Amino acid sequence: MFEDAVARHRAGNLAGAEAGYLEVLERVPEHPHALHFLGVALHQQRRYPEALSRLEQAAKALPRAPAVHSNLGNTLRALGRHPQAILAYEKALDLDPKFADASNNLGITLQELKRPDAAVEAYRQALAAGGGVNVSRNLASALRQARRFEEARAVCRAALDAHPDDAEMHRVLGNLELDLGHWTDAASSLERARELGAEDGDLLLSLGHALRKAKQRDRALEIGRATCRERV
């Protein structure tokens, strides 16, 4: 029965998974993994207060399970309870210092609290634990927030050496080049982000600004027209 609920969950059937976990809990009210996965399913449906209740129960039942504490942190953060979320992520990392997701989510929480330097350390820990290009993007964002622009630029370039077709990383690099006043480089990076599919109003505005500063007026006019179409 529990395995069926997990299979529905993995298939993206959140309502079916929820029903399955509840059925398990009717038979075994303290089933720790059903409590945990039910909390995750409720979080994924943005039913955060319900998710919190289940995840708190799961954390009591599975006090040494890093994933439970990390998922509890995610729900606390979604509820705006950032200091408690940090404690949950730190508990997860005490149990497993190489838990990249927990380190990454800790970094996101610290950034939301306007603590970019602390976020940088969390993201570096996530990368050391095997975090992917999304962690590199977050690290570059935190370095930019801390106004450590050259460090952020180096992170972007290293990530793009490994993932040259990552549109969002090209966007991040382009915005950093704007911060540094490197107009032509900014335009080049933002154009590449657009080629790779990252087309939205914010990107087009940044690209248009870079092109105007780089005195590429004809191309800036083209992007200006595209921006107007995006907003219609």
Side-chain angles (χ1 to χ4, degrees):
M1 184 182 298
F2 175 70
E3 291 76 10
D4 289 342
V6 172
R8 291 178 211 161
H9 201 164
R10 287 175 176 161
N13 180 0
L14 297 178
E18 178 188 348
Y21 297 138
L22 287 170
E23 190 174 350
V24 171
L25 290 167
E26 283 180 11
R27 299 190 181 194
V28 186
E30 301 301 320
H31 192 296
H33 299 293
L35 288 168
H36 177 203
F37 289 0
L38 175 58
V40 172
L42 291 166
H43 178 100
Q44 289 171 319
Q45 296 174 76
R46 302 191 179 189
R47 292 159 58 186
Y48 302 127
E50 295 172 78
L52 179 62
S53 175
R54 299 296 188 173
L55 288 167
E56 286 177 333
Q57 290 176 273
K60 289 178 183 176
L62 295 166
R64 301 201 55 79
V68 175
H69 293 285
S70 184
N71 286 325
L72 175 59
N74 293 342
T75 296
L76 287 164
R77 181 168 66 88
L79 288 166
R81 295 165 62 175
H82 289 65
Q84 290 167 281
I86 288 171
L87 291 175
Y89 294 133
E90 288 176 341
K91 177 64 175 176
L93 290 165
D94 285 343
L95 294 165
D96 181 1
K98 295 184 178 180
F99 191 174
D101 283 347
S103 295
N104 184 53
N105 288 327
L106 174 59
I108 292 169
T109 307
L110 290 164
Q111 265 197 273
E112 289 174 352
L113 290 173
K114 311 299 183 191
R115 295 172 56 189
D117 290 308
V120 165
E121 295 311 310
Y123 292 136
R124 290 200 189 281
Q125 185 177 350
L127 283 174
V133 67
N134 63 308
V135 180
S136 295
R137 286 196 298 267
N138 291 341
L139 174 57
S141 171
L143 287 164
R144 184 183 182 211
Q145 188 180 15
R147 304 191 67 76
R148 294 160 60 179
F149 298 127
E150 290 294 349
E151 290 176 76
R153 193 170 179 238
V155 167
C156 289
R157 293 199 176 280
L160 286 168
D161 284 343
H163 305 277
D165 294 332
D166 189 279
E168 288 306 314
M169 187 59 81
H170 284 284
R171 181 205 295 262
V172 172
L173 178 57
N175 286 327
L176 279 166
E177 300 290 13
L178 280 175
D179 293 333
L180 291 164
H182 301 162
W183 313 123
T184 301
D185 288 342
S188 177
S189 292
L190 293 168
E191 290 274 25
R192 183 61 180 147
R194 190 179 182 218
E195 288 170 7
L196 291 167
E199 177 141 0
D200 55 57
D202 288 341
L203 183 139
L204 292 170
L205 284 171
S206 296
L207 176 55
H209 176 62
L211 290 165
R212 286 192 296 276
K213 287 288 189 178
K215 303 189 184 306
Q216 298 180 36
R217 294 186 179 85
D218 290 345
R219 182 63 178 149
L221 284 171
E222 289 178 31
I223 294 300
R225 287 191 287 270
T227 305
C228 291
R229 290 195 296 273
E230 179 74 20
R231 291 184 164 188
V232 172

